[in-house]
């Protein structure tokens, strides 16, 4: 199955939320009797019904595809825009982005009668425009080892993402090494070792409770000695309000830079889509501590909050390197703006 099919299938909750919202806005205008009277074609046309005149005489004679039932339409007015804006806020695009998107859709179209499909196309177009500049795969540099630091709050999907990325880079012929910088949780090291085995890459570990910065230093030394292309450093999940953990992260970065002043070459912030608008705060906080160079959004499967990705792109413009739509090794792929936008609006 192509990743886009998977994305479309798994984004169902987000897309049905937005898609159904758009259908409702057009199909069932809240109050206006004028628009209700305006939609006589909304009744479904059964295949047995006589072909509409637009099917033409040839169509009727040869029984070719019957004309598609006309979709209901609704004239774009202030009330409709307000409903659209509310729906987008509900779908986690955030107030600012919802406002901007709605204004762009309105521009030059007031009074025009739109079907739900046309509205979805317009919305997908706006979302694609916002997302295209941030849809950038993890950049690869000639630097050896290229150091990729993975950060994020507890349970965001850091370790899983490292496993998936390591497997993909390995498949692309890169030599990859992983450092298990989460020295807090006993299970964390094991989890990473399992991913390392699946991906076929070595995992450097240290004793539980030891200093993750010194593990990072040792891992740099080994990756240099062995000529690894990529060193991915996992870190413990840290909540934004735990000052000590946040300082520890800053220390990891300082120590890495002793080995290579240009490292880490990428600092990936992993965000869990199910956290919705809180993802925006996480970006703010982590950016102050670590030089976040890009985002990975996990758990887009099974959440109705995928719209937060649009808010993030609009607000921060940080590259979105990949998205996760499941727990398996191949459930991570590069972010494609158009695919995402269409899946999100239910097209
Ligand atoms: N459905 C789904 N689950 C995911 C995805 N990515 C990660 N998970 C699951 O989320 C849970 C947490 O993932 P981890 O990779 O352990 O998260 P973490 O950020 O390393 O967690 P800590 O190390 O505890 O901070 C696991 O059960 C993963 O299988 C995804 O894209 N979709
Ligand atoms: Mg982890």
């Amino acid at each position: 199955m192509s990743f886009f099919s998977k994305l479309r299938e798994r984004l169902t909750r987000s897309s049905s939320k937005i898609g159904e919202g758009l259908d409702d806005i057009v199909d069932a205008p809240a109050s206006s009797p004028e628009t209700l009277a305006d939609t006589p074609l909304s009744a479904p046309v059964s295949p047995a019904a006589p072909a509409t005149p637009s099917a033409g005489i040839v169509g009727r004679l040869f029984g070719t595809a019957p004309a598609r039932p006309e979709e209901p339409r609704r004239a774009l007015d202030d009330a409709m825009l307000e409903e659209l804006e509310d729906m987008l806020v509900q779908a986690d695009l955030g107030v600012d982005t919802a406002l901007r998107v709605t204004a762009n859709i309105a521009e030059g179209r007031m009074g025009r009668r739109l079907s739900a499909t046309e509205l979805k196309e317009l919305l997908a177009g706006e979302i694609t425009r916002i997302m295209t500049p941030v849809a950038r795969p993890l950049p690869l540099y000639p630097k050896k080892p290229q150091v990729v630091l993975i950060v994020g709050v507890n349970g965001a999907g850091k370790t899983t993402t490292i496993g998936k990325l390591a497997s993909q880079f390995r498949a692309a012929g890169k030599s990859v090494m992983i450092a298990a910088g989460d020295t807090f949780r006993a299970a964390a090291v094991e989890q990473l070792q399992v991913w390392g085995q699946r991906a076929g890459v070595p995992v450097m570990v240290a004793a539980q409770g030891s200093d993750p910065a010194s593990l990072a230093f040792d891992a740099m030394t080994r990756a240099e000695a062995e000529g690894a292309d990529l060193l991915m450093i996992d870190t413990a999940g840290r909540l934004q309000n735990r000052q000590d953990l946040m300082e520890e992260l800053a220390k990891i970065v300082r120590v890495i830079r002793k080995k290579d002043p240009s490292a880490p070459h990428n600092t990936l912030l992993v965000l869990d889509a199910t956290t919705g608008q809180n993802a925006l705060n996480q970006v703010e906080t982590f950016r102050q501590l670590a030089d976040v160079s890009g985002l990975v959004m996990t758990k887009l499967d099974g959440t109705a909050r995928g719209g937060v990705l649009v808010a993030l792109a609009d607000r921060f413009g940080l590259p979105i390197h990949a998205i996760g739509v499941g727990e398996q090794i191949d459930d991570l792929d590069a972010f494609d703006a158009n695919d995402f936008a269409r899946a999100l609006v239910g097209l």
Side-chain angles (χ1 to χ4, degrees):
M1 181 164 29
S2 78
F3 190 80
F4 178 51
S5 324
K6 207 165 5 183
L7 171 68
R8 204 171 30 196
E9 192 182 276
R10 298 198 183 165
L11 260 176
T12 40
R13 289 214 218 153
S14 291
S15 56
S16 61
K17 186 171 180 178
I18 297 183
E20 284 166 17
L22 294 170
D23 288 337
D24 286 348
I25 288 172
V26 175
D27 288 357
S31 51
S32 156
E34 169 228 339
T35 38
L36 277 176
D38 257 1
T39 54
L41 293 171
S42 60
V45 176
S46 77
T52 53
S54 64
I57 188 99
V58 178
R60 259 181 283 167
L61 275 177
F62 296 103
T64 47
R68 284 212 322 196
E70 278 282 330
E71 271 192 274
R73 292 174 175 274
R74 179 177 172 192
L76 190 62
D77 59 7
D78 286 340
M80 183 168 163
L81 286 174
E82 212 164 293
E83 285 169 46
L84 179 61
E85 196 186 303
D86 285 350
M87 193 273 292
L88 294 176
V89 172
Q90 295 277 313
D92 269 291
L93 270 78
V95 176
D96 294 346
T97 308
L99 259 170
R100 196 169 11 260
V101 164
T102 312
N104 287 348
I105 288 178
E107 204 178 311
R109 293 194 186 86
M110 290 308 273
R112 196 183 289 182
R113 296 171 51 73
L114 297 171
S115 68
T117 305
E118 284 168 346
L119 198 53
K120 285 177 195 176
E121 293 282 356
L122 288 173
L123 182 57
E126 285 302 322
I127 292 175
T128 303
R129 220 154 53 107
I130 294 174
M131 307 307 280
T132 298
V134 301
R136 298 210 297 272
L138 185 78
L140 291 176
Y141 305 108
K143 184 80 196 168
K144 269 191 184 196
Q146 176 171 336
V147 182
V148 183
L149 184 67
I150 316 284
V151 302
V153 301
N154 301 76
K158 296 175 294 297
T159 304
T160 307
T161 298
I162 288 184
K164 292 169 175 175
L165 282 174
S167 149
Q168 293 185 3
F169 284 120
R170 184 82 182 71
K174 300 276 174 199
S175 61
V176 183
M177 206 173 275
I178 298 174
D182 182 353
T183 55
F184 276 92
R185 280 193 311 120
V189 169
E190 264 169 56
Q191 185 194 2
L192 203 51
Q193 279 171 327
V194 169
W195 276 110
Q197 263 161 22
R198 274 182 213 154
V201 309
V203 178
M204 285 213 40
V205 303
Q208 192 186 347
S210 62
D211 182 5
S214 81
L215 171 69
F217 189 85
D218 292 346
M220 292 273 303
T221 311
R222 182 171 156 197
E224 271 173 10
E226 297 187 11
D229 294 315
L230 279 165
L231 170 63
M232 311 187 77
I233 303 179
D234 194 12
T235 61
R238 51 204 81 228
L239 288 174
Q240 300 113 293
N241 57 5
R242 282 284 305 272
Q243 195 57 33
D244 51 338
L245 289 180
M246 290 310 233
E247 271 158 22
E248 182 199 81
L249 184 59
K251 185 181 171 196
I252 294 174
V253 172
R254 279 200 309 276
V255 168
I256 291 173
R257 285 193 177 141
K258 277 188 199 157
K259 272 259 156 209
D260 177 355
S262 68
H265 306 93
N266 316 86
T267 301
L268 300 193
L269 174 59
V270 177
L271 299 166
D272 172 345
T274 63
T275 57
Q277 292 294 297
N278 188 254
L280 296 158
N281 301 333
Q282 291 176 20
V283 175
E284 296 272 17
T285 313
F286 276 94
R287 276 227 295 198
Q288 284 163 19
L289 266 161
D291 200 1
V292 174
S293 62
L295 308 176
V296 173
M297 177 67 77
T298 65
K299 307 187 199 178
L300 275 169
D301 49 311
T303 176
R305 320 201 70 166
V308 70
L309 214 49
V310 186
L312 285 166
D314 198 29
R315 170 116 150 243
F316 299 106
L318 280 168
I320 297 167
H321 294 316
I323 53 175
V325 296
E327 300 185 82
Q328 303 307 313
I329 202 159
D330 56 354
D331 289 337
L332 183 92
D333 202 8
F335 177 76
D336 182 282
N338 189 45
D339 284 356
F340 174 77
R342 297 186 73 80
L344 187 67
V345 305
L347 274 172

